């Protein structure tokens, strides 16, 4: 399943230019659906036209006629007239749940060893539960593995690495928030400790150690894959 996507955590406000005042955002500041829909349509159509000009699109079977410039332009005009829809929904129950959800994917192994069924030709086949089909267990190929040297997490603004502790301290002071009431009072480093992937996910005490190293197939790049056990 090819499913590239990004997760964002956006604050509902920020510090003033001088850093001495907290500026709150409007209640409906996040994700203006209609604007995003039109922006996505414009970006998508722009890239589609570039691919067509570069000859990188393939037209087979019943859409072979789109190779002709006239018919391709007619398709573009039809798509531009349609209202594109960007699906947006409210966040989870609270901010702590959001951090917990993302933390399981960023600081722990998202797929446990018992769910991995086989590794062939550089693809991982794992078991998943389809809640829409009577909670049946099914198999899926995992393709969206991060490339080598790809940065998994990036921080911006008041959460940027350079001045994070200083700015968060100012934000808490301006918002009159006590450190005792903040689960991650030591900053995002506390979240990393809370979701320590080396801890056993069952007992929370045992330490995960490398049991064996599984090498990929002959035609796959020489990259080590570690299997962890408590």
């Amino acid at each position: 399943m090819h499913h590239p996507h990004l997760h964002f955590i956006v604050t509902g406000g920020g510090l003033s230019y001088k850093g001495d005042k907290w500026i709150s955002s409007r209640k409906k500041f996040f994700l203006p659906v209609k604007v995003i829909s039109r922006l996505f349509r414009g970006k998508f159509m722009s890239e589609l036209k570039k691919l067509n000009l570069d000859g990188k699109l393939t037209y087979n079977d019943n859409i072979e006629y789109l190779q002709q410039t006239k018919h391709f332009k007619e398709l573009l005009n039809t798509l531009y007239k349609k209202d594109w829809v960007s699906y947006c929904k409210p966040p989870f129950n609270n901010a702590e749940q959001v951090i917990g959800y993302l933390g399981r994917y960023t600081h722990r192994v998202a797929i446990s060893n018992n769910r991995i069924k086989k590794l062939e030709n550089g693809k991982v086949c794992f078991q998943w539960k389809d809640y829409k089909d009577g909670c049946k267990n099914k198999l899926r190929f995992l393709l969206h593995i991060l490339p080598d040297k790809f940065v998994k997490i990036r921080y911006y603004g008041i959460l940027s690495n350079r001045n994070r502790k200083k700015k968060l301290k100012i934000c808490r002071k301006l918002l009159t928030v006590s450190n005792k009431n903040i689960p991650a009072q030591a900053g995002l480093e506390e979240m990393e400790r809370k979701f320590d992937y080396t801890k056993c996910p069952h007992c929370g005490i045992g330490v995960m150690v490398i049991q064996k190293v599984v090498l990929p197939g002959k035609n796959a790049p020489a990259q080590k894959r570690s299997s962890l056990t408590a």
Side-chain angles (χ1 to χ4, degrees), residues 57-136:
L57 293 181
T58 302
Y59 305 98
N60 299 317
D61 301 328
N62 60 337
I63 62 170
E64 189 174 357
Y65 69 95
L66 291 176
Q67 295 183 26
Q68 301 179 27
T69 304
K70 175 184 177 181
H71 295 302
F72 185 77
K73 287 184 177 180
E74 290 176 352
L75 173 65
L76 294 181
N77 292 333
T78 302
L79 294 176
Y80 272 120
K81 292 179 182 179
K82 290 184 177 295
D83 290 329
W84 290 36
V85 179
S86 294
Y87 174 67
C88 303
K89 64 179 181 180
F92 297 104
N93 189 32
N94 53 48
E96 189 172 352
Q97 272 196 341
V98 174
I99 296 294
Y101 171 79
L102 294 180
R104 288 192 292 272
Y105 285 88
T106 58
H107 294 84
R108 287 180 60 182
V109 179
I111 301 177
S112 57
N113 287 346
N114 64 313
R115 291 180 59 197
I116 299 177
K117 300 306 177 182
K118 60 182 178 179
L119 171 62
E120 294 179 352
N121 301 322
K123 294 182 180 179
V124 178
C125 185
F126 66 98
Q127 181 176 288
W128 66 290
K129 185 174 291 186
D130 190 350
Y131 292 97
K132 294 182 179 180
D133 190 14
C135 295
K136 294 181 180 179

Side-chain angles (χ1 to χ4, degrees), residues 35-49 80 84:
V35 176
I36 290 178
S37 298
R38 293 168 183 169
L39 180 62
F40 176 72
R41 179 181 62 187
K43 295 291 185 181
F44 184 94
M45 298 296 287
S46 176
E47 294 300 320
L48 182 66
K49 287 187 285 188
Y80 272 120
W84 290 36

